[in-house]
Amino acid sequence: MRKLKYDVVIIGGGPAGLGAAIEAKRTGAKKVIILERDRELGGILNQCIHNGFGLHEFKEELTGPEYASRFIDMVKEFNIEYMLNTMVLSIDENRNIVALGERGLIDISARAIVLAMGCIERSRGAIDVPGYRGAGIYTAGAAQRFMNMEGYMVGKRVVIYGSGDIGLIMARRLTLEGAKVEAVVERNPFSSGLNRNIVQCLNDYNIPLLLSHCISYVHGRDRVNGVTISKLDENMDIIHESSKFIECDTLLLSVGLIPENELSREVNINLDNTTRGPVVNSSMETNIEGIFACGNVVHVHDLVDFVTKESRIAGRNAAIYALGENKDKSYVKTKGGNGISYIVPQYIDTNSNENIDLFMRVRNIYENKKLIIRCGEKIILEKSRLHMIPSEMENIKLSPHILKKINGDIEICVEGA
């Protein structure tokens, strides 16, 4: 087994891994390497051929491959090493990594590690849809790869279950390729995708979005030939008299994403029960010293620009740790109160001389409300919001001036305006 040593090892070569590697190198880490299991760098961006990327990061609208290529070019400019077709088999608390790739088994010793493995789609087994298991059932991401990278059309008459962003984008993509998208079916009374995708991908193409509906049965023994959809009441129970049959030959599942954390569990990293990703502090460091995490492996983001922003924090602090330049930090806990589903990071450094961004999601749809940050009985900050929905992430920036006012754990709540 070959033995190698690096200052910072990045696991994952998608947008989070690329951003972290570049920032680690900029910060002064001399030996940085990216380990990527796919055949090329870029991750999921390579199959996202639609535009809408880079508005925050580059102030212009790019496709996914264009966004990825900018960072891949920077990786090459910085002479950052990377290994493709390389699967990380294990990591331990001493930051030793065993990987298997084109060069065989590799034993890598790292001063710091950044986890950037991204997320995976929920499958049919995770949502327990009754019916036959014929051909023609795909996750939305798998269908996207088949169409945009492999050149295969997945079906002609399609129903999409779930209104996640990939599903909404695939509704438009399939329509442009000549398929008929019969409906997008969503269990919740609100979409789980961005409003702009509902407008651009559904409304613009007259594709119906059926909220508070479920697929109660999948028909077709050898190949899908239709689905039965049913309305749901306020308790999420099926209203049987509302059931109707929709003929189709393909069913796409867009029912949520889950951070991919097999390696995190193996090394005993604490995971958040809500996000399903690592618990991190404002340096993006996990509870295991020297192991950092960023991007969709921590929590599922709306925009890749925010993944990049988070990856820079992880890469910079991983390099600082590897170089032995850590400073004293004073961490307090962040807690989601009324109306808040989760907050990332879960711990913040009140001694920080830089702004700290808190990302969170609300539990329901709220109009004309406030986000209130409290430390005990004291209100630290309040922000008015005209409109908040669970599918769009909220962000609050804490300046060093605000951080100095915090002397204990903080709680964020949604309260009436």
Side-chain angles (χ1 to χ4, degrees):
M1 188 185 299
R2 297 178 61 208
K3 295 185 181 295
L4 303 171
K5 290 185 177 181
Y6 287 89
D7 293 328
V8 180
V9 176
I10 317 289
I11 302 177
L18 294 171
I22 293 163
E23 195 64 24
K25 194 76 169 182
R26 278 179 177 153
T27 305
K30 293 192 170 41
K31 296 196 68 180
V32 179
I33 189 170
I34 302 169
L35 305 179
E36 170 55 49
R37 67 184 178 187
D38 208 345
R39 63 195 182 201
E40 55 196 342
L41 295 173
I44 198 70
L45 291 173
N46 292 320
Q47 66 188 54
C48 298
I49 63 173
H50 53 281
N51 59 7
F53 300 89
L55 290 170
H56 294 267
E57 183 67 23
F58 296 110
K59 310 304 180 190
E60 59 181 302
E61 203 168 25
L62 305 171
T63 65
E66 287 173 332
Y67 188 95
S69 71
R70 301 230 176 155
F71 286 90
I72 293 169
D73 289 345
M74 283 189 273
V75 163
K76 293 174 180 177
E77 286 171 14
F78 280 99
N79 293 315
I80 296 170
E81 293 182 56
Y82 56 89
M83 293 184 187
L84 303 176
N85 298 309
T86 300
M87 173 72 75
V88 173
L89 303 179
S90 67
I91 59 177
D92 64 26
E93 294 184 9
N94 296 317
R95 301 180 296 283
N96 295 310
I97 300 167
V98 176
L100 178 63
E102 296 172 335
R103 308 179 192 181
L105 274 176
I106 310 163
D107 185 355
I108 301 174
S109 175
R111 292 179 181 272
I113 294 173
V114 178
L115 304 176
M117 295 90 69
C119 57
I120 57 176
E121 295 180 278
R122 290 182 189 273
S123 64
R124 181 180 178 178
I127 59 172
D128 196 26
V129 178
Y132 291 106
R133 296 185 175 274
I137 303 176
Y138 304 89
T139 62
Q144 187 181 55
R145 185 176 182 100
F146 276 132
M147 292 183 67
N148 294 346
M149 296 186 72
E150 312 299 339
Y152 292 104
M153 188 69 174
V154 295
K156 296 179 179 178
R157 296 188 67 179
V158 184
V159 171
I160 299 175
Y161 194 19
S163 58
D165 287 312
I166 304 175
L168 299 177
I169 288 163
M170 284 307 296
R172 177 179 62 185
R173 183 77 179 95
L174 285 157
T175 301
L176 291 172
E177 288 296 334
K180 169 66 174 171
V181 178
E182 300 290 346
V184 175
V185 181
E186 171 59 56
R187 289 179 58 88
N188 291 307
F190 49 80
S191 171
S192 55
L194 296 172
N195 275 333
R196 76 178 190 193
N197 285 333
I198 295 171
V199 173
Q200 295 173 1
C201 302
L202 300 187
N203 298 350
D204 287 356
Y205 296 90
N206 297 315
I207 299 169
L209 172 60
L210 305 178
L211 300 174
S212 297
H213 279 71
C214 75
I215 291 179
S216 50
Y217 202 83
V218 179
H219 303 268
R221 189 182 296 273
D222 297 321
R223 168 115 197 167
V224 173
N225 59 36
V227 296
T228 296
I229 68 167
S230 306
K231 287 184 180 179
L232 298 171
D233 63 21
E234 61 273 11
N235 298 316
M236 290 291 187
D237 293 325
I238 291 175
I239 303 172
H240 292 284
E241 56 269 26
S242 70
S243 297
K244 66 177 182 179
F245 177 80
I246 298 179
E247 185 177 345
C248 64
D249 60 24
T250 304
L251 173 63
L252 296 194
L253 303 177
S254 181
V255 290
L257 303 167
I258 308 169
E260 188 169 354
N261 275 298
E262 287 184 27
L263 291 173
S264 307
R265 291 188 194 93
E266 181 181 308
V267 77
N268 296 317
I269 287 173
N270 293 336
L271 301 183
D272 186 292
N273 290 331
T274 302
T275 65
R276 308 279 291 273
V279 172
V280 294
N281 59 37
S282 48
S283 297
M284 303 310 295
E285 188 176 25
T286 69
N287 62 296
I288 306 298
E289 190 175 307
I291 299 183
F292 300 77
C294 60
N296 285 349
V297 81
V298 177
H299 61 131
V300 177
H301 293 64
D302 301 334
L303 301 175
V304 72
D305 304 69
F306 294 155
V307 169
T308 296
K309 185 174 183 178
E310 197 174 270
S311 72
R312 288 200 177 101
I313 299 170
R316 181 172 66 253
N317 285 290
I320 290 169
Y321 182 89
L323 296 169
E325 298 175 358
N326 286 319
K327 297 178 181 178
D328 290 336
K329 297 178 181 180
S330 177
Y331 288 109
V332 299
K333 188 175 182 180
T334 63
K335 177 185 174 184
N338 177 59
I340 301 295
S341 178
Y342 73 79
I343 303 170
V344 172
Q346 290 86 351
Y347 295 89
I348 59 172
D349 174 22
T350 56
N351 288 338
S352 175
N353 292 319
E354 298 179 350
N355 292 332
I356 292 177
D357 285 290
L358 297 179
F359 292 97
M360 66 207 73
R361 290 190 189 272
V362 295
R363 296 184 185 277
N364 293 299
I365 298 174
Y366 298 104
E367 304 287 346
N368 196 27
K369 299 289 185 181
K370 288 183 178 179
L371 292 172
I372 307 288
I373 303 181
R374 284 189 173 87
C375 179
E377 297 298 318
K378 182 171 63 173
I379 294 179
I380 301 298
L381 189 66
E382 55 183 84
K383 294 287 184 179
S384 297
R385 294 288 191 269
L386 293 176
H387 181 71
M388 295 186 288
I389 56 176
S391 60
E392 296 193 5
M393 194 177 295
E394 294 294 327
N395 171 227
I396 294 179
K397 191 182 297 293
L398 301 181
S399 66
H401 173 70
I402 295 293
L403 291 170
K404 285 179 172 58
K405 297 180 180 181
I406 299 172
N407 57 11
D409 295 346
I410 62 171
E411 181 179 68
I412 304 179
C413 302
V414 177
E415 297 186 12

